[in-house]
Amino acid sequence: MTAPNDYGESNPLETNQKILICDDAVAACQRAANLFAAAIHGWPDLKIGLATGGTPVKFYARLVQLYQEDILNFEAVKTFNLDEYIGLAADHPQSYRSFMNEQLFSHVNLDPANTFLPSGIASDIDAEVQRYEQQIADAGGIELQLLGIGHNGHIAFNEPGSARDSRTRLVDLTERTIQSNARFFDSIDDVPRQAITMGIGTILEAKAIVLLATGGDKADAVKRAIEGEVDESNPASFLQTHANVTYVLDNGAASLLERRE
Ligand code: F6R
């Protein structure tokens, strides 16, 4: 095992709010992955929260690479994903469980029993969301959470209007989110209209958060998250109320920020 400094990053659990701006999307993904690597190195039984979507694909590729190079060990790590589509079974190709299998789980030494996602086909959704919250609590809470950001400022599937103290629950996806996610499906009609998502309150209980955003199309959402008013109409703005958030951005996503330190 190499020392944490070999990742070129300090453990994000030991730092405060900061903005890291990278040249391009690949560099941003690698930097975010290096932060996770430094944290896992410090605490091999780390509980991490994970996101899906287009943004973190290269983030997971970097974690897999660090594992293959024998630098990172997931043996005792537990993972909790932010969300899952309603109506998609775990083995559906577009389920977030399948995404995680493809991008990370099947390539590293994570114990499958340590990888948690809500079930999108649970017969009793109320019981399922409570079960998921309980699983997080039983693990002792999430220590390091990865987030992406939606064009409308959503984090996980907490769409505008979500309360700061919201918990894991069933939500309706907005038309904009359905359109954004249609690229992963054969047709927009196939995109589920509902999901189970961790709540904003649940997310804010993580000890440290890394928000990863890349591309100029995210610049407005990023600016409103970091510099905008803290308000339910802009769920990512609630991150301003958390003591330890690292925003890892590429130049495009950071392009509208006034403060770029
Ligand atoms: C995914 C999730 C979402 C995405 C967001 C950005 O688990 O919770 O909030 O992070 O929709 O998605 P991409 O990366 O596809 O732009």
Side-chain angles (χ1 to χ4, degrees), residues 49-253:
L50 297 176
T52 57
T55 309
V57 169
K58 290 281 191 312
F59 166 91
Y60 292 120
R62 171 74 176 157
L63 289 185
V64 170
Q65 182 197 350
L66 291 172
Y67 168 74
Q68 288 171 343
E69 291 174 357
D70 220 8
I71 293 171
L72 203 47
N73 181 4
F74 291 89
E75 198 173 14
V77 172
K78 287 194 172 128
T79 69
F80 292 89
N81 266 79
L82 288 169
D83 35 29
E84 181 58 283
Y85 285 121
I86 288 291
L88 302 193
D91 62 356
H92 186 285
Q94 263 70 49
S95 75
Y96 284 163
R97 165 68 75 177
S98 290
F99 175 96
M100 291 309 305
N101 285 341
E102 277 161 32
Q103 304 299 328
L104 181 70
F105 297 164
S106 62
H107 305 292
V108 299
N109 65 335
L110 267 163
D111 180 344
N114 285 341
T115 65
F116 298 87
L117 285 95
S119 167
I121 55 161
S123 53
D124 182 342
I125 298 293
D126 283 346
E128 177 60 13
V129 301
Q130 279 165 30
R131 193 181 69 91
Y132 198 56
E133 285 268 342
Q134 194 58 48
Q135 284 176 324
I136 296 171
D138 289 347
I142 292 168
E143 286 152 328
L144 183 58
Q145 174 70 55
L146 177 71
L147 294 179
I149 185 170
H151 295 109
N152 62 2
H154 74 212
I155 48 174
F157 278 135
N158 293 286
E159 301 282 26
S162 300
R164 188 191 182 283
D165 61 359
S166 54
R167 308 303 304 184
T168 301
R169 67 200 186 288
L170 176 69
V171 290
D172 294 329
L173 304 183
T174 62
E175 207 43 50
R176 187 151 189 213
T177 298
I178 291 164
Q179 275 165 18
S180 293
N181 290 2
R183 68 192 194 278
F184 299 113
F185 291 81
D186 290 339
S187 134
I188 192 164
D189 297 332
D190 296 337
V191 185
R193 268 43 186 174
Q194 290 184 306
I196 292 177
T197 183
M198 267 190 216
I200 295 177
T202 321
I203 291 168
L204 292 177
E205 283 170 9
K207 288 199 180 73
I209 295 173
V210 172
L211 183 139
L212 174 63
T214 58
D217 60 310
K218 293 287 174 71
D220 182 55
V222 166
K223 179 183 172 58
R224 291 191 307 116
I226 297 176
E227 296 174 350
E229 198 183 322
V230 177
D231 186 71
E232 282 185 7
S233 64
N234 182 20
S237 67
F238 286 121
L239 297 173
Q240 293 176 37
T241 69
H242 190 284
N244 188 342
V245 181
T246 304
Y247 302 87
V248 185
L249 312 172
D250 69 355
N251 273 319

